[in-house]
């Protein structure tokens, strides 16, 4: 799967409880029944660690004293794994030990609750950790969004695209990439002013969010250049998607300049079957295709011929 | 701190609607827990006794049976520190006696 930074920040947060004592699970479930959260249970440290990496909960409640893998070891592992290092962890302990508290906070725990739980305290601490996690996630997500268009920005694209190519290499499912560039954008800016130019950028961005399917990822690559990552999409299917975007954009009547239509050129590079191409090479191929679309008169789509690297080398 | 002997030990959460079902379940399961404790004790498997005491220590107060939790924690600590045999014996008996009194 593609590393999913785009997971919605909203929705019911998942809380993972790792404790070897069944009673704690029952009690916690009853105590948190009225909270807006989903509670998942793991009875041991090792299983809990695997589950945390797999499901990436918004909060981990972690027992210290467990027979298979103790809480500190689980905490250390969580904090050193890329997928779980940012997840807040609250330590649950049966003992009031200053040394344990110091160790827990040193290892990166956000909080420490002593069993048996005081109901109010438990709820408040869980809520506060969830809220903090939500804010941090929202900020992280915002840093990857283009302010003008609301699309993903270049930084996000770079990461997401290399993830998409890695997934393509693993599973061999089709993958297509489009580079979309507004034609004569500078002239629009110069003639009608920057607010008009901004409207055009936003107009194309809206199309890019509306036209493709849910799993497609639209990004503002820079200036008037956009990218569209289309997983599970053959070059032929991608061409249809881009053709719809191209014709819809062309047909728009712009309030600031109704006399002037806006068009775009598209460079497309996709593969339906396994092909050896790095993310950077693939992106270059789409960029070259875009250049050729511009060369052949703009307002059109050019599809790159992607040949396997072996053939190129021979 | 052994409580004054009374026939029954009631849960302080016995009227909490969120917990009453769980308390009932805990009370129903108590004979099995006592049997497990006694079996481990007879077999002189003190590490198992310690484990069971540890679980009771964590759980009992959560169900509203603080005295059971206290007794279990005391026994657990004593087993961890390898305290005098007769003290362990007495604290084990205290725990079992308290356990047998729990009720909703
Ligand atoms: Mg435990």
């Amino acid at each position: 799967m593609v590393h999913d930074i785009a997971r919605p920040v909203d929705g019911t947060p998942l809380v993972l409880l790792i404790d070897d004592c069944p009673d704690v699970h029952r009690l916690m479930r009853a105590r948190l029944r009225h909270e807006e959260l989903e509670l998942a249970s793991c009875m041991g440290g090792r299983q809990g660690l695997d589950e945390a990496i797999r499901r990436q909960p918004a909060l981990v409640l972690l027992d210290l004293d467990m027979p298979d893998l103790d809480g500190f070891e689980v905490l250390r592992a969580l904090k050193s794994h890329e997928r779980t290092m940012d997840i807040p962890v609250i330590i649950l302990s049966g003992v009031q030990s200053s040394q344990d508290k110091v160790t827990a906070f040193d290892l990166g725990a956000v909080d420490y609750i002593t069993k048996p739980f005081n109901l109010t305290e438990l709820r408040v601490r869980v809520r506060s950790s969830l809220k903090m996690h939500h804010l941090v996630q929202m900020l992280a997500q915002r840093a990857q969004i283009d302010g003008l268009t609301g699309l993903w920005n270049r930084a996000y694209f770079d990461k997401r695209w290399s993830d998409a190519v890695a997934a393509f290499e693993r599973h061999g499912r089709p993958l297509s990439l489009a580079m979309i560039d507004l034609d004569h954008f500078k002239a629009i800016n110069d003639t009608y002013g920057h607010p008009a130019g901004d409207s055009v950028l936003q107009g194309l961005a809206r199309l890019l969010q509306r036209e493709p399917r849910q799993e497609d990822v639209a990004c503002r690559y820079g200036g008037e250049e956009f990218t569209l990552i289309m997983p599970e999409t053959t070059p032929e299917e991608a061409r249809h998607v881009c053709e719809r975007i191209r014709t819809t954009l062309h047909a728009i009547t712009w309030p600031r300049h109704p006399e002037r239509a806006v068009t775009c050129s598209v460079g497309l590079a996709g593969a339906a079957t396994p092909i050896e191409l790095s993310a950077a090479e693939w992106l270059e191929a789409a960029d070259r295709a875009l250049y050729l679309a511009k060369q052949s008169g703009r307002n059109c789509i050019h599809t790159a011929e992607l040949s396997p690297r072996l053939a190129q080398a021979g | 701190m052994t409580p004054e002997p009374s026939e029954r030990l009631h849960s302080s959460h016995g009227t909490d609607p969120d917990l009453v079902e769980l308390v009932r379940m805990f009370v129903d399961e108590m004979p099995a827990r006592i049997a497990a404790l006694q079996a481990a004790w007879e077999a002189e498997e003190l590490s198992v006794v310690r484990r069971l005491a540890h679980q009771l220590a964590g759980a009992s107060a959560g169900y509203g049976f603080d005295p059971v939790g206290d007794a279990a924690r005391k026994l657990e600590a004593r087993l961890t520190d390898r305290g005098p045999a007769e003290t362990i014996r007495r604290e084990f008996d205290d725990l079992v006696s308290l356990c047998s009194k729990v009720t909703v």
Side-chain angles (χ1 to χ4, degrees):
Chain A
M1 251 339 270
V2 174
H3 188 86
D4 203 1
I5 313 172
R7 185 165 43 127
V9 171
D10 320 306
T12 313
L14 176 69
V15 176
L16 178 65
L17 172 61
I18 307 174
D19 197 304
D20 62 317
C21 176
D23 297 294
V24 172
H25 288 269
R26 289 181 193 163
L27 289 165
M28 191 69 84
R29 199 163 288 279
R31 286 314 198 182
L32 296 176
R33 185 177 296 157
H34 305 295
E35 297 297 295
E36 295 241 331
L37 54 84
E38 182 193 340
L39 189 64
S41 289
C42 284
M43 303 300 298
R46 211 164 293 282
Q47 185 207 357
L49 184 58
D50 291 346
E51 200 67 358
I53 291 168
R54 194 172 68 78
R55 298 187 67 182
Q56 294 184 281
L59 174 64
V60 173
L61 301 172
L62 178 61
D63 181 28
L64 276 191
D65 191 341
M66 292 184 290
D68 71 328
L69 191 63
D70 86 30
F72 286 139
E73 291 174 75
V74 176
L75 179 57
R76 208 172 274 124
L78 286 172
K79 289 297 160 189
S80 57
H81 196 289
E82 191 204 350
R83 283 174 67 85
T84 51
M85 60 197 316
D86 296 328
I87 300 173
V89 177
I90 297 180
I91 293 294
L92 308 175
S93 172
V95 284
Q96 277 282 9
S97 150
S98 306
Q99 186 49 54
D100 280 358
K101 283 184 191 172
V102 170
T103 308
F105 287 119
D106 272 353
L107 289 176
V110 294
D111 213 337
Y112 190 104
I113 301 179
T114 312
K115 292 184 262 188
F117 322 113
N118 172 297
L119 175 57
T120 315
E121 188 183 325
L122 173 72
R123 283 187 187 149
V124 167
R125 289 179 182 228
V126 165
R127 270 182 211 160
S128 124
S129 290
L130 285 174
K131 192 170 179 185
M132 181 63 83
H133 182 65
H134 178 82
L135 288 173
V136 168
Q137 265 198 320
M138 220 168 62
L139 287 174
Q141 187 161 313
R142 197 158 292 172
Q144 304 183 83
I145 287 177
D146 174 59
L148 179 66
T149 61
L151 297 184
W152 295 108
N153 63 17
R154 169 77 176 269
Y156 180 80
F157 169 80
D158 288 342
K159 163 122 195 61
R160 189 67 187 251
W161 174 239
S162 59
D163 284 348
V165 172
F168 169 81
E169 278 164 7
R170 272 198 310 277
H171 309 300
R173 309 284 308 145
L175 174 66
S176 293
L177 173 70
M179 293 206 78
I180 302 157
D181 193 90
L182 286 165
D183 296 328
H184 303 296
F185 181 69
K186 188 172 180 307
I188 295 166
N189 259 335
D190 291 349
T191 314
Y192 305 103
H194 286 281
D198 288 351
S199 300
V200 168
L201 291 170
Q202 289 166 332
L204 177 54
R206 267 196 303 280
L207 272 186
L208 288 176
Q209 277 175 321
R210 204 179 60 202
E211 288 299 323
R213 296 148 316 161
Q214 190 71 50
E215 49 291 8
D216 297 342
V217 181
C219 310
R220 184 176 179 199
Y221 191 72
E224 66 270 28
E225 201 167 12
F226 297 79
T227 51
L228 185 60
I229 303 172
M230 292 168 276
E232 304 282 333
T233 309
T234 64
E236 290 71 31
E237 291 161 349
R239 202 182 169 92
H240 287 303
V241 174
C242 293
E243 187 57 26
R244 221 170 39 240
I245 291 166
R246 189 191 66 78
T247 53
T248 311
L249 179 71
H250 195 179
I252 292 176
T253 303
W254 301 89
R256 288 174 193 271
H257 42 84
E259 71 283 11
R260 169 82 177 253
V262 175
T263 60
C264 67
S265 302
V266 181
L268 194 59
T273 52
I275 181 172
E276 262 189 59
L277 211 57
S278 73
E281 290 167 330
W282 198 319
L283 181 61
E284 269 170 42
D287 201 35
R288 266 198 312 278
L290 172 61
Y291 174 78
L292 290 171
K294 293 275 183 190
Q295 289 295 299
S296 43
R298 298 186 168 85
N299 192 21
C300 66
I301 299 169
H302 187 90
T303 306
E305 292 295 329
L306 293 188
S307 46
R309 182 179 292 165
L310 289 178
Q312 278 177 357
Chain B
M1 51 157 220
T2 313
E4 293 308 310
S6 59
E7 288 313 301
R8 298 254 171 253
L9 182 60
H10 288 275
S11 165
S12 53
H13 297 326
T15 53
D16 183 332
D18 282 345
L19 288 189
V20 64
E21 276 308 310
L22 291 182
V23 173
R24 194 163 291 136
M25 201 188 304
F26 182 71
V27 168
D28 288 347
E29 287 171 0
M30 191 49 101
R33 286 189 196 247
I34 295 172
L37 268 172
Q38 279 168 334
W41 182 263
E42 299 300 329
E44 295 182 17
E45 293 183 287
L46 291 189
S47 65
V48 178
V49 175
R50 196 192 86 87
R51 188 92 227 145
L52 294 169
H54 172 76
Q55 288 178 1
L56 273 172
S60 304
Y63 292 109
F65 297 106
D66 294 39
V68 177
D70 292 339
R73 198 165 301 112
K74 215 164 167 186
L75 176 62
E76 183 195 0
R78 194 77 64 196
L79 286 167
T80 308
D81 304 341
R82 300 176 195 285
E86 67 273 22
T87 314
I88 294 178
R89 161 102 244 173
R90 196 183 63 244
E91 287 176 357
F92 176 83
D93 289 342
D94 285 349
L95 176 60
V96 170
S97 145
L98 276 170
C99 283
S100 58
K101 289 181 187 163
V102 299
T103 184
V104 181

